[in-house]
Amino acid sequence: MTTSNPQQTSAYHTLDLEGVRTFIASLPSIAGRLGGTPEDWHVREVSDGNLNMVFLAEGPQGGICLKQALPHVRVDPTWKMPLDRTFFEASWLRAIFPHVPDLTTECLHFDAEQFILIVPSLSGHTVMRTALMAGQYHPAVAAQVGDFVARSTFATSLLAEPFERVMDRRICFARNQTLTRITVDLILIDPYHDHPRNHWADPQLTPIVAALRNSPSVLARIDSLRLHFLSAPQALLHGDLHTGSIMTNGTDTRIIDGEFATYGPIGFDAGLFVGNLILSFFATPDRAGQAAHLDMIQTFWTSFTKCFLDLWQNREWAEDRSTLYYATTDKSTQNFEKSLFIQNIFQDMLGFCATEIIRRLVGYAHIADFSVLTDQPTRTTRQKAALLFAKDCLEQKKPLKSLADFLELLYQNLSTP
Amino acid sequence: MTTSNPQQTSAYHTLDLEGVRTFIASLPSIAGRLGGTPEDWHVREVSDGNLNMVFLAEGPQGGICLKQALPHVRVDPTWKMPLDRTFFEASWLRAIFPHVPDLTTECLHFDAEQFILIVPSLSGHTVMRTALMAGQYHPAVAAQVGDFVARSTFATSLLAEPFERVMDRRICFARNQTLTRITVDLILIDPYHDHPRNHWADPQLTPIVAALRNSPSVLARIDSLRLHFLSAPQALLHGDLHTGSIMTNGTDTRIIDGEFATYGPIGFDAGLFVGNLILSFFATPDRAGQAAHLDMIQTFWTSFTKCFLDLWQNREWAEDRSTLYYATTDKSTQNFEKSLFIQNIFQDMLGFCATEIIRRLVGYAHIADFSVLTDQPTRTTRQKAALLFAKDCLEQKKPLKSLADFLELLYQNLSTP
Ligand SMILES: Nc1ncnc2c1ncn2[C@@H]1O[C@H](COP(=O)(O)OP(=O)(O)OP(=O)(O)O)[C@@H](O)[C@H]1O
Ligand SMILES: Nc1ncnc2c1ncn2[C@@H]1O[C@H](COP(=O)(O)OP(=O)(O)OP(=O)(O)O)[C@@H](O)[C@H]1O
């Protein structure tokens, strides 16, 4: 893959619907996938995220999804942004696809001048957030996301590969600085300070925001999480694993939109996913729906840990000694060290989960989930409960040692208004 | 600085004494430093390390030190090695020199085709290991090394700079893989397994080597340290901070030979330095000399922590919020977090210190220190004591919580034969 240099973009221009058709027609292998002739193709724009243009093109034989970076944030043209994010999404796909071919899309084409990425279309799939808002809960999806996090992070970590290969990949993704800066600012700094990008609908949330900003242990924990995010390159992360980055038909599930990919702590991906499940939990009107959310969290964590530890176990026959960790010691020490490793991911997950909840309620980029609660006082009550839950997770006045502690705290916060 | 590509070395040839003279004569600014004409210069080879050719050239007005990489290990021509290590040493000097101009040498010239680095000559200085072996103990030197570690690591860490600059530097040094592989293999893997590179003089050490390799907690700790070394890029490390990488005249002290530079845990540099002081401690015949070593360890750690915390304190007026850690919380939480940070460095230091002691006694690259003990049984007794001390540090059956605990354990191991 050639590297993307935002300076060399003389040929770049933003594609419209006809441009997409012409562009695809110029690529025989992609055109062949669609079948027929360009006139037979149905091309439409489906951009719904903040950043990029996204098109679907369907032909008689198949469909593709084409994503192009804009030189600015899609929803805010005054916010300028380099184009290279598509390069990082393509690089991320190429790095992880061999390990999760059933859980993401293949990079079919990447154009380093136009910053265009083409992947297969997921035409029968729904965005997971949309499914959750419609009350469709599939425990299988949570298990698949757990597998995805386990397989993609394990494969790109020091546990699976000689450090030289890990370092080469770190070198690549350490250049994804524009989007990493967005994560740092929008998730790990802004909500804890006055910033024009912050906003929240109901003034009733203001005292809780103030309480977060006045809590020494919240502020210290946020700084520790930021330092950790930037100095613990355990594995290649998706970097933005919210329920809008997951498409599913209930059986088949695909993780998309890896443009925030960066090396970081595994608990960051897990935390963002669980944080979004928890936001959805607090936005769910009925008890049965709420219980289904707790099931999904439980299922996600169980499947993540099982899959991760199985992969680790299978490494014991590795040839290269430098990639073996805790393999030469006795079984009980080995199990102890491995569970410590998982326990550290768990604590990271709790922390990053809390930051995700907070930033989605009082930061720049909100989520749609709460719109299903049409009664405004209920919505506010639930948002307050979600924020207070996040505060508890960060402060851990009562330590959260297990997933059971965590789920118990969640129920408590739902019932205490 | 241009990047070094070992492929593009058509112009490379190894310099001899006359080649050094001609090379310097071709560089007006370097020739001007020496003064006079090339015939007036005294050029001699001083290579005494394992890897590179090192020359000193003195003229009527001043002197320089010229270092050139060889395409192999200097002391073992069958061990092939890329030339780019000089590039990393030059890059390291350029990164840290502004922060420690009084404690290292300036990069006066770097030639990316010949892999030649030129720095000022330290002609009145002695290598610290040589000074220690001659019984010259200068507490000032230990304090200066503490300052050096504090200033060079702080300046290149997330505590001092926006993460983008840290990441750019990580990208550069993550390519220093040949020398990082040497660290990983020689320090953190080989001594704990059968390997042809390992060796030790006296068969009496064999049972202790076996005990290390049979201790589950030693093996687990070594793996944790290796994982940590490769996944905690806190700061730009020297990477090989033994007493042979320090030159001093008792007053002025300079750290040289940063070709192993890599991003890693700060406790690695501290641990290697302290490990070498401890090797020298066990090699010291007399009580007064031993006490002087404990003083140096104490002085080093005190000066490191004081300098590091002072630098951190001065950041509180930083403009960029993203580089502030624990600055917005209350004073007591802030102090707690900072001392936790230092405490983690301390634990890393103990671990890496132990690995350095072990590898210098039973691994590939030994040190000269013990040769001052001319009585062979005494030498063996002391080497055994050093190894057992290292084992205790790794196992921590009794936790080592402070420098006092650590120094006490050191004295205990000296007196128990
Ligand atoms: N492979 C695909 N098949 C079908 N639809 C897709 C596919 N990829 C993306 N989409 C649709 O396009 C939308 C936008 O895609 P995506 O999330 O990748 O864009 P984005 O602008 O990067 O979003 P964000 O601002 O959240 O990063 C998705 O929400 C989904 O509806
Ligand atoms: N600036 C200098 N001025 C005077 N002498 C120097 C200077 N730099 C190095 N030397 C001398 O040259 C010797 C070798 O230098 P250095 O340690 O940098 O080489 P090296 O081959 O990289 O060593 P190693 O194998 O330990 O990495 C030093 O031990 C010292 O005696």
Side-chain angles (χ1 to χ4, degrees):
Chain A
M1 191 178 300
T2 54
T3 60
S4 67
N5 180 340
Q7 258 53 55
Q8 297 175 328
T9 53
S10 51
Y12 173 87
H13 59 274
T14 308
L15 298 187
D16 58 11
L17 290 176
E18 273 319 294
V20 169
R21 191 185 305 275
T22 315
F23 185 80
I24 296 173
S26 76
L27 301 170
S29 76
I30 305 296
R33 237 173 207 270
L34 300 190
T37 62
E39 299 75 57
D40 303 325
W41 303 339
H42 178 60
V43 181
R44 64 197 158 104
E45 193 197 324
V46 293
S47 325
D48 68 356
N50 293 319
L51 294 179
N52 306 294
M53 298 297 291
V54 183
F55 300 91
L56 296 185
E58 315 274 344
Q61 273 163 48
I64 60 93
C65 173
L66 182 150
K67 186 163 176 178
Q68 184 177 35
L70 296 170
H72 53 77
V73 173
R74 191 180 68 90
V75 297
D76 177 1
T78 65
W79 187 340
K80 301 301 169 205
M81 189 159 288
L83 298 159
D84 58 4
R85 55 194 184 273
T86 323
F87 164 79
F88 294 107
E89 182 163 348
S91 304
W92 169 80
L93 276 180
R94 288 179 179 173
I96 65 146
F97 182 76
H99 309 286
V100 282
D102 51 330
L103 291 169
T104 187
T105 53
E106 188 177 0
C107 174
L108 301 174
H109 184 80
F110 172 65
D111 186 305
E113 284 198 339
Q114 302 283 350
F115 297 96
I116 285 172
L117 167 67
I118 298 179
V119 299
S121 164
L122 302 166
S123 42
H125 291 56
T126 313
V127 170
M128 185 178 184
R129 189 182 310 283
T130 313
L132 291 176
M133 288 171 65
Q136 292 155 16
Y137 313 119
H138 305 288
V141 180
Q144 286 158 336
V145 180
D147 271 11
F148 171 84
V149 174
R151 283 152 62 188
S152 60
T153 61
F154 187 88
T156 55
S157 79
L158 291 164
L159 303 178
E161 290 193 317
F163 75 81
E164 288 89 345
R165 295 194 46 199
V166 174
M167 283 195 175
D168 284 343
R169 232 182 286 98
R170 283 186 193 154
I171 288 171
C172 170
F173 291 96
R175 289 163 46 232
N176 196 7
Q177 294 179 3
T178 307
L179 296 204
T180 301
R181 172 53 76 176
I182 291 181
T183 300
V184 168
D185 285 352
L186 296 194
I187 306 188
L188 301 169
I189 298 182
D190 292 353
Y192 307 93
H193 303 276
D194 270 334
H195 195 288
R197 281 194 293 236
N198 294 328
H199 61 105
W200 48 93
D202 196 313
Q204 285 193 57
L205 300 188
T206 310
I208 306 182
V209 176
L212 284 168
R213 295 180 185 176
N214 287 325
S215 162
S217 53
V218 165
L219 296 176
R221 181 81 177 121
I222 293 299
D223 281 1
S224 294
L225 287 165
R226 193 167 90 250
L227 198 55
H228 190 56
F229 175 68
L230 292 169
S231 49
Q234 267 187 324
L236 182 58
L237 307 182
H238 177 280
D240 191 27
L241 193 54
H242 61 94
T243 47
S245 297
I246 299 165
M247 297 190 73
T248 184
N249 60 19
T251 312
D252 185 87
T253 298
R254 306 279 164 162
I255 314 302
I256 63 166
D257 198 17
E259 65 194 338
F260 281 84
T262 184
Y263 262 77
I266 297 169
F268 186 82
D269 271 0
L272 258 57
F273 179 64
V274 170
N276 279 272
L277 287 183
I278 289 172
L279 287 159
S280 177
F281 165 85
F282 280 108
T284 296
D286 61 299
R287 292 265 158 207
Q290 290 158 9
H293 278 80
L294 299 197
D295 273 358
M296 285 187 282
I297 296 170
Q298 176 94 55
T299 303
F300 164 75
W301 180 247
T302 310
S303 99
F304 164 74
T305 51
K306 181 175 179 336
C307 180
F308 196 92
L309 289 171
D310 283 352
L311 288 165
W312 202 344
Q313 191 59 38
N314 289 335
R315 293 289 305 162
E316 314 247 308
W317 292 272
E319 311 243 307
D320 177 359
R321 190 173 268 160
S322 80
T323 67
L324 290 181
Y325 290 93
Y326 314 117
T328 59
T329 190
D330 67 320
K331 211 68 206 158
S332 91
T333 309
Q334 185 180 134
N335 289 339
F336 174 81
E337 294 293 339
K338 286 181 176 179
S339 63
L340 198 66
F341 192 97
I342 298 289
Q343 184 58 29
N344 287 333
I345 296 177
F346 178 71
Q347 287 302 328
D348 291 349
M349 175 175 88
L350 301 195
F352 291 116
C353 153
T355 65
E356 176 70 1
I357 294 170
I358 292 167
R359 74 101 167 203
R360 292 296 192 183
L361 289 168
V362 306
Y364 173 74
H366 290 205
I367 33 102
D369 306 45
F370 284 93
S371 66
V372 304
L373 296 174
T374 44
D375 176 52
Q376 141 94 55
T378 307
R379 196 158 67 225
T380 300
T381 306
R382 292 295 189 79
Q383 293 191 345
K384 284 164 68 176
L387 281 178
L388 288 170
F389 169 76
K391 183 165 179 281
D392 285 346
C393 278
L394 293 172
E395 291 181 333
Q396 292 210 28
K397 284 185 182 152
K398 193 175 154 227
L400 301 170
K401 294 192 181 150
S402 66
L403 197 70
D405 293 350
F406 180 70
L407 295 180
E408 194 188 307
L409 181 67
L410 203 49
Y411 253 129
Q412 268 171 23
N413 275 273
L414 183 70
S415 37
T416 342
Chain B
M1 192 179 300
T2 54
T3 60
S4 69
N5 181 339
Q7 259 53 54
Q8 295 175 332
T9 55
S10 52
Y12 173 85
H13 59 275
T14 308
L15 298 188
D16 57 11
L17 291 176
E18 273 319 294
V20 169
R21 192 185 306 274
T22 316
F23 185 80
I24 296 173
S26 77
L27 302 169
S29 76
I30 306 296
R33 234 172 210 272
L34 300 189
T37 63
E39 299 77 55
D40 304 325
W41 303 340
H42 178 61
V43 181
R44 65 197 157 105
E45 194 198 322
V46 292
S47 324
D48 68 356
N50 293 318
L51 295 179
N52 305 295
M53 298 296 291
V54 183
F55 299 91
L56 295 185
E58 315 275 344
Q61 272 164 48
I64 61 93
C65 173
L66 182 151
K67 185 165 177 176
Q68 185 178 34
L70 295 169
H72 53 76
V73 173
R74 191 180 67 88
V75 296
D76 177 1
T78 66
W79 187 341
K80 302 300 169 205
M81 190 161 286
L83 298 158
D84 58 3
R85 54 195 185 273
T86 323
F87 164 78
F88 293 108
E89 182 163 348
S91 304
W92 170 79
L93 276 181
R94 288 179 178 171
I96 64 147
F97 183 77
H99 309 287
V100 281
D102 50 332
L103 291 169
T104 187
T105 54
E106 189 176 0
C107 174
L108 300 175
H109 184 79
F110 171 67
D111 185 305
E113 285 197 339
Q114 303 283 349
F115 296 96
I116 286 172
L117 167 67
I118 298 179
V119 298
S121 164
L122 303 166
S123 41
H125 291 57
T126 313
V127 170
M128 185 180 184
R129 190 182 308 284
T130 313
L132 291 176
M133 288 171 65
Q136 291 156 16
Y137 314 120
H138 306 288
V141 179
Q144 284 160 337
V145 179
D147 271 11
F148 171 83
V149 174
R151 282 151 62 189
S152 60
T153 60
F154 187 89
T156 55
S157 78
L158 291 163
L159 304 178
E161 292 192 315
F163 75 81
E164 289 89 345
R165 294 194 46 200
V166 174
M167 285 194 175
D168 284 342
R169 232 183 285 101
R170 284 186 193 154
I171 288 170
C172 171
F173 291 95
R175 289 165 45 234
N176 196 8
Q177 294 179 2
T178 307
L179 295 203
T180 300
R181 172 52 77 174
I182 291 182
T183 300
V184 168
D185 285 351
L186 264 44
I187 306 188
L188 300 169
I189 298 182
D190 292 353
Y192 307 93
H193 303 276
D194 270 334
H195 195 289
R197 282 193 292 235
N198 294 328
H199 63 104
W200 48 94
D202 196 313
Q204 285 193 57
L205 300 188
T206 310
I208 306 182
V209 175
L212 285 168
R213 294 180 185 176
N214 287 326
S215 162
S217 52
V218 165
L219 296 176
R221 181 79 176 122
I222 293 297
D223 281 2
S224 294
L225 287 165
R226 193 167 89 251
L227 198 55
H228 191 54
F229 175 68
L230 293 168
S231 49
Q234 267 187 324
L236 182 58
L237 306 182
H238 177 281
D240 190 26
L241 193 55
H242 60 96
T243 47
S245 296
I246 299 165
M247 297 189 74
T248 184
N249 60 19
T251 313
D252 185 86
T253 297
R254 306 280 164 163
I255 314 303
I256 63 166
D257 198 16
E259 66 195 337
F260 281 83
T262 184
Y263 261 78
I266 297 168
F268 185 82
D269 271 0
L272 259 57
F273 178 63
V274 170
N276 278 273
L277 287 183
I278 289 172
L279 286 159
S280 176
F281 166 83
F282 280 107
T284 296
D286 61 297
R287 293 264 157 208
Q290 290 157 11
H293 279 81
L294 299 196
D295 273 359
M296 285 187 284
I297 296 171
Q298 176 95 56
T299 303
F300 164 75
W301 180 247
T302 310
S303 100
F304 164 74
T305 49
K306 181 174 180 333
C307 180
F308 196 92
L309 289 171
D310 283 353
L311 288 166
W312 202 343
Q313 191 59 38
N314 289 336
R315 294 289 305 163
E316 314 246 308
W317 292 272
E319 310 243 307
D320 177 358
R321 192 173 267 159
S322 79
T323 67
L324 289 181
Y325 291 92
Y326 314 118
T328 59
T329 188
D330 67 319
K331 210 68 204 157
S332 92
T333 308
Q334 185 180 135
N335 290 339
F336 174 82
E337 295 293 339
K338 287 182 175 178
S339 63
L340 199 65
F341 192 96
I342 297 288
Q343 184 59 29
N344 286 333
I345 296 177
F346 178 71
Q347 287 302 328
D348 292 350
M349 176 175 87
L350 301 195
F352 291 117
C353 154
T355 65
E356 175 70 1
I357 294 170
I358 292 167
R359 74 101 167 201
R360 291 296 193 182
L361 289 169
V362 305
Y364 173 73
H366 290 204
I367 33 102
D369 306 46
F370 285 92
S371 65
V372 304
L373 296 173
T374 46
D375 176 52
Q376 140 94 56
T378 307
R379 197 158 68 224
T380 300
T381 306
R382 292 294 189 80
Q383 293 191 346
K384 283 163 69 177
L387 282 177
L388 288 170
F389 169 74
K391 183 164 179 279
D392 285 347
C393 277
L394 293 171
E395 290 181 333
Q396 291 210 27
K397 284 185 181 153
K398 193 177 155 228
L400 301 170
K401 294 192 179 145
S402 66
L403 196 70
D405 293 350
F406 180 69
L407 296 180
E408 194 189 306
L409 182 67
L410 202 49
Y411 252 129
Q412 268 169 24
N413 276 272
L414 183 70
S415 37
T416 341

